[in-house]
Amino acid sequence: PNFRRPSSAAAAAPSSESLTMPATTPTVPPAAFELGDVVWWQDASHAGLFRRGEVLGVTARGLLRVALDEPAREAVVEVPAAQLLAANPTHLEGSDDLGDLSVLNPASMLRAVGSRFRAKPHEQIYTRAGALLLSVNPCRDL
């Protein structure tokens, strides 16, 4: 193989192909998320807690605009799609088996286990995950 370094003239003049920019700015969310999708965003300013929100649109810079709905739609954030996780429909969050969830990621698992733990009239400390059984310590806050 030839491992010679290119001449300085060739290195200084990048090809025109490497400098081209896309002709248009995306106006729809990336393929992973659509307008109105419910998503999770990990908020570093709140101890890394996952916050639920809804995709509102895309900015000119290609970031997704997400309206956070916990608590009470307090904010709209602009984040890259790579920082979002898909969320389950709310009717699946209290399922006693994590295998029933349509989306299984850390945020969805924590929400499902937490929803069951906070359920009234008594705390449900056990949640199945297929053949596994998860238990929450009832003497600790979740």
Side-chain angles (χ1 to χ4, degrees):
N2 185 356
F3 292 107
R4 281 189 287 160
R5 201 175 244 165
S7 70
S8 60
S15 71
S16 61
E17 291 178 5
S18 66
L19 298 176
T20 59
M21 298 294 288
T24 60
T25 303
T27 56
V28 295
F33 299 106
E34 297 179 2
L35 298 177
D37 279 354
V38 180
V39 295
W40 290 107
W41 173 60
Q42 193 167 13
D43 188 354
S45 68
H46 284 88
L49 294 175
F50 289 104
R51 300 181 70 193
R52 192 178 181 99
E54 179 182 338
V55 176
L56 298 178
V58 179
T59 68
R61 297 176 307 181
L63 300 175
L64 293 177
R65 294 187 71 233
V66 178
L68 302 175
D69 59 10
E70 294 178 5
R73 288 192 183 269
E74 70 176 42
V76 174
V77 295
E78 295 178 355
V79 296
Q83 291 183 4
L84 300 175
L85 298 171
N88 286 295
T90 54
H91 72 276
L92 292 178
E93 289 180 351
S95 175
D96 65 344
D97 188 350
L98 296 179
D100 293 340
L101 300 178
S102 59
V103 175
L104 194 59
N105 56 40
S108 295
M109 291 173 61
L110 287 170
R111 172 55 70 99
V113 171
S115 294
R116 291 180 49 75
F117 180 72
R118 287 186 288 278
K120 302 295 180 194
H122 55 79
E123 299 148 344
Q124 300 172 3
I125 63 171
Y126 299 108
T127 302
R128 290 181 296 152
L132 302 175
L133 182 65
L134 302 175
S135 176
V136 176
N137 183 348
C139 299
R140 306 281 297 202
D141 289 338
L142 184 64

